[in-house]
Amino acid sequence: MADIASETFLSQLKSLYPVKPSYRENPWYAVAAIAFSASNRPDAVPFVLKYAFNDLEALSAPDEDYVFVVRKIRDAIFKSGMISGFPKVGIGHHSAINALVALHAETPKKYCDDKPLRNTDLSNEELTLRGQEFFNQTYGETASSVQSLLHNIYPDLGYYVTSFGYGFGYAFMDVTSPMETSFAMISALIATDTPRQIEWHLTGALRNGATKEEVKAVRAIAIEIAKAAGITWKGDIPDL
């Protein structure tokens, strides 16, 4: 049992995020699932799902809300895997891959959607256009300098980030919104101790529609989970 994901701890994490009128508008559970995955505790992801399902049961929510929660966690972890790593060795676990395997295994069949979320037939040109648009939206006035840094180091790195990282991965918005995509990045970056990128994406989340209160809540949730998982940081964690 993932003792790290106790009901008490999950309740504490949920309380950090601003109260919303609808459960669908509160992505705390996706942020938590990412932080556990990125902190190399994918075994905790099913407990986040179970907690969210208990919340939905208490609200007498319809079946589509349960499917919504599963899809949200699934896509959020997928997006975060490009930061925290899909395979990650440690304690016999792998990061995003094992988190997604655990999520799938513990999802009741009637709420499990095994169909691909993304269109795998898009051309490289289409992916690049989508990726560039979301990259520009996320980085704002700093987009050109950040992208130039990537291209000037290695052109194929810049191409990969724009076309595949952003175009295929992050720019898909049918399940997680631009704001929630930024949250996925922040949560994974905190667990992997990458302060430069944390700073970029804290402000990127604001550009993508989040409030300062929401961004600070996501940061706090990720820090609490990473601490509980034994993550340590070399320096201070950036804040708004």
Side-chain angles (χ1 to χ4, degrees), residues 50-95:
K50 181 180 178 181
Y51 187 101
F53 275 12
N54 287 341
D55 279 347
L56 293 176
E57 185 177 359
L59 294 169
S60 300
D63 284 352
E64 53 262 35
D65 282 6
Y66 290 79
V67 176
F68 177 91
V69 165
V70 175
R71 285 164 60 89
K72 185 80 71 180
I73 295 175
R74 170 187 171 184
D75 192 50
I77 292 175
F78 180 94
K79 288 182 172 181
S80 73
M82 289 182 282
I83 292 171
S84 63
F86 280 95
K88 183 176 180 181
V89 178
I91 325 176
H93 291 307
H94 301 278
S95 188

Side-chain angles (χ1 to χ4, degrees), residues 73-240:
I73 295 175
R74 170 187 171 184
D75 192 50
I77 292 175
F78 180 94
K79 288 182 172 181
S80 73
M82 289 182 282
I83 292 171
S84 63
F86 280 95
K88 183 176 180 181
V89 178
I91 325 176
H93 291 307
H94 301 278
S95 188
I97 290 177
N98 268 15
L100 291 171
V101 169
L103 175 68
H104 184 271
E106 296 300 323
T107 300
K109 279 292 183 184
K110 67 176 182 176
Y111 304 135
C112 192
D113 181 4
D114 293 333
K115 297 176 183 177
L117 296 180
R118 288 163 175 76
N119 181 356
T120 58
D121 294 325
L122 293 176
S123 67
N124 285 354
E125 291 77 13
E126 290 174 297
L127 291 175
T128 300
L129 286 172
R130 287 157 55 100
Q132 188 66 62
E133 181 180 358
F134 187 55
F135 191 95
N136 291 344
Q137 177 179 320
T138 299
Y139 283 89
E141 68 278 1
T142 66
S144 179
S145 61
V146 173
Q147 200 160 39
S148 294
L149 170 67
L150 302 177
H151 281 282
N152 290 340
I153 296 172
Y154 300 111
D156 49 350
L157 172 63
Y159 174 74
Y160 171 80
V161 169
T162 303
S163 300
F164 298 103
Y166 274 77
F168 185 76
Y170 298 136
F172 171 75
M173 297 299 167
D174 291 1
V175 177
T176 47
S177 68
M179 177 186 79
E180 292 164 341
T181 300
S182 286
F183 291 169
M185 296 177 184
I186 292 166
S187 189
L189 288 165
I190 286 173
T192 52
D193 192 15
T194 47
R196 185 181 195 181
Q197 285 75 16
I198 293 170
E199 188 171 6
W200 286 348
H201 289 289
L202 289 172
T203 53
L206 297 177
R207 294 189 192 98
N208 283 326
T211 65
K212 284 188 177 182
E213 186 182 14
E214 289 169 333
V215 176
K216 285 180 173 292
V218 169
R219 177 182 179 276
I221 290 170
I223 289 173
E224 289 303 312
I225 290 173
K227 282 181 180 177
I231 301 295
T232 57
W233 295 272
K234 296 182 180 71
D236 294 334
I237 302 169
D239 199 354
L240 288 174

Side-chain angles (χ1 to χ4, degrees), residues 14 17-20 22-30 180:
K14 183 176 71 170
Y17 198 86
V19 176
K20 298 293 179 180
S22 166
Y23 205 82
R24 283 179 174 243
E25 298 174 55
N26 188 334
W28 78 271
Y29 54 87
E180 292 164 341

